[in-house]
Amino acid sequence: MEFRFTDEQNMIRDSAAAFLQDVSTPAAVRKAMVTEAGYDPELWRRICQELCFQAITVPEAYGGMGLGQVELAAVLEQMGRVLLCSPFFATVGLGVNALLLAGSEAQKQQYLPAIVAGELTATLAWTGPQAARRGGQWGCEALGAEWQKTAEGYQLSGELRYVIDGHTAGLLIVAARQAASQGREGIALFCVPAGSQGLNRQWQPGMDQTRHQARIVLNQVCLPESARLAPEADGAAVLETLLDLAKLAMAAEQAGAARQVLDMSVSYMQARVQFGRPVAGYQALKHKAADMLLKCEVSRSAVYYAACVAQEAIDPDGDKTLAGELREAAAMAKAYCSDTFFFNAGTAIQLHGGVGFTWEYDVHLYFKRAKASELYLGSGAAQRELIASLLLG
């Protein structure tokens, strides 16, 4: 595959980079991350109204820009560079993808225009407490909620954790399994509005302060028939595709953040003088920076290959052969970007002479994001195990 950005894609990436570097400064990130919402509503309004990033992958029929996964990855890469505190990943990387993949025409008409207008945020909730056990389980085995059929529609109960922006999202896409079902059987997705009776949400502080998560309790939440997404489809397959797209989105952020900690380290080494010369002149440190750069370049290649595959998977008229590689491509991108980001963040602390972990330096924010994002959706080792199982059968 030969890949290069078009002029339009270059413009989108450059516009995103210029805007985000201006508004998501280290001071702005530190101010937003200590709030319960975890982001600045005014900045989110500007993103929605001035840049329309939230509309990138929404079809024009619903007021969106009708662009693809490559453009989305380009924007997410720039957001990762500045550790943007916003509900973008949850809304677009999870919620919009769920509606596009499995939403009915009525559900798309109801929710997508509101997301495009910046009036609604969304997220995907599926993991129970077991997601953090035995090294992390983030697939169908991690579901924490159950559903059962009622005369009026459906009833959902259970406990969900690690739900990104789940305490502020206006729409929750909840994946649950039918009571008493096991494995891949009985899995379904539902649209749960934030104001639903029986829905309790709490901010769940974690290691990465720049991205907030929530604990959600579903106490016999009653939903109408129209709340279920794609009732005729294989719910497990839909959820797995959603998680593949989420891995791609997360990997794009990680690739951008990994490059940012490299740039921060090089700037620091050029400014710090030791024994009468900038420490950037020492060969051993140059080797460290070269290792970081090499990993960054490979990470970007993995992300944009996976983005091209994802576009074919989403497009109804896409190349089915290439689309069939989505699981492997997404796992490969998540694995390599997770390892790269953590390696670069850890190395950056060393290149900062050990002071990079302190509160005064921003490197520690990237280090915490690196560890949290490495574990979310499965670590690099878990992704490699998945790839091996897919290849070996």
Side-chain angles (χ1 to χ4, degrees):
M1 175 184 292
E2 182 178 347
F3 175 81
R4 66 182 59 186
F5 275 170
T6 64
D7 291 342
E8 185 181 41
Q9 289 167 342
N10 275 320
M11 182 185 69
I12 292 172
R13 179 197 58 192
D14 295 344
S15 298
F19 176 80
L20 293 171
Q21 287 171 12
D22 184 45
V23 300
S24 186
T25 61
V29 170
R30 287 171 182 266
K31 182 178 180 181
M33 72 184 193
V34 297
T35 64
E36 182 170 349
Y39 65 95
D40 177 4
E42 175 59 20
L43 175 56
W44 178 242
R45 185 194 64 77
R46 290 188 62 190
I47 289 173
C48 293
Q49 295 185 1
E50 297 178 21
L51 282 300
C52 299
F53 290 153
Q54 82 290 355
I56 284 179
T57 55
V58 177
E60 294 178 3
Y62 307 105
M65 299 169 68
L67 299 175
Q69 294 295 312
V70 173
E71 290 81 1
L72 177 60
V75 171
L76 282 164
E77 184 183 358
Q78 300 308 314
M79 290 180 173
R81 284 191 73 122
V82 297
L83 294 182
L84 176 68
C85 296
S86 84
F88 185 86
F89 175 84
T91 300
V92 181
L94 300 175
V96 169
N97 280 341
L99 291 168
L100 293 178
L101 271 177
S104 66
E105 182 59 28
Q107 289 165 341
K108 293 175 181 175
Q109 291 283 1
Q110 181 178 358
Y111 297 118
L112 290 177
I115 290 174
V116 169
E119 299 168 351
L120 179 70
T121 60
T123 191
L124 174 68
W126 80 102
T127 48
Q130 66 270 33
R133 297 172 187 163
R134 294 192 293 275
Q137 297 177 326
W138 298 91
C140 296
E141 70 281 2
L143 266 62
E146 292 185 344
W147 64 271
Q148 59 182 354
K149 194 76 176 67
T150 64
E152 295 77 21
Y154 301 94
Q155 187 179 86
L156 270 61
S157 296
E159 178 183 354
L160 302 165
R161 294 189 184 180
Y162 320 111
V163 183
I164 294 182
D165 294 316
H167 60 304
T168 58
L171 173 66
L172 301 171
I173 308 292
V174 175
R177 67 166 59 256
Q178 191 171 20
S181 67
Q182 294 182 343
R184 295 171 55 86
E185 301 297 324
I187 295 176
L189 287 85
F190 301 89
C191 290
V192 182
S196 300
Q197 188 172 6
L199 177 67
N200 295 304
R201 308 186 293 172
Q202 294 177 326
W203 173 25
Q204 184 181 37
M207 175 172 54
D208 178 14
Q209 296 166 283
T210 62
R211 175 142 47 211
H212 286 195
Q213 299 181 352
R215 172 178 176 267
I216 295 173
V217 175
L218 301 163
N219 186 15
Q220 298 181 337
V221 175
C222 295
L223 300 171
E225 292 271 2
S226 59
R228 182 169 176 175
L229 282 78
E232 74 288 350
D234 180 348
V238 172
L239 177 60
E240 287 173 346
T241 302
L242 273 175
L243 299 183
D244 292 337
L245 296 174
K247 289 176 185 177
L248 165 61
M250 182 66 73
E253 277 194 356
Q254 291 172 317
R259 180 54 194 251
Q260 183 67 15
V261 290
L262 167 61
D263 293 347
M264 292 165 61
S265 300
V266 171
S267 295
Y268 179 82
M269 291 190 296
Q270 290 172 336
R272 181 181 173 185
V273 176
Q274 196 74 28
F275 305 115
R277 56 186 288 197
V279 297
Y282 291 99
Q283 192 70 16
L285 301 189
K286 289 181 179 178
H287 286 167
K288 288 280 190 182
D291 288 343
M292 295 167 71
L293 177 60
L294 176 61
K295 291 178 180 296
C296 286
E297 292 302 313
V298 178
S299 294
R300 292 191 76 229
S301 297
V303 165
Y304 286 104
Y305 170 72
C308 292
V309 173
Q311 186 56 41
E312 298 298 328
I314 287 182
D315 187 348
D317 301 321
D319 184 328
K320 299 305 178 188
T321 302
L322 191 58
E325 298 178 9
L326 175 60
R327 186 130 310 146
E328 293 97 324
M332 180 174 63
K334 178 65 168 59
Y336 203 89
C337 292
S338 290
D339 293 351
T340 294
F341 188 15
F342 190 70
F343 173 86
N344 280 16
T347 305
I349 290 176
Q350 296 180 39
L351 295 178
H352 277 70
V355 298
F357 74 91
T358 60
W359 182 260
E360 290 76 12
Y361 286 81
D362 296 324
V363 175
H364 84 98
L365 298 177
Y366 286 84
F367 186 76
K368 292 172 182 173
R369 171 70 73 90
K371 192 59 185 175
S373 65
E374 175 195 12
L375 300 177
Y376 186 75
L377 296 170
S379 65
Q383 304 306 323
R384 286 187 285 276
E385 185 176 348
L386 171 61
I387 294 170
S389 67
L390 293 170
L391 294 177
L392 300 176

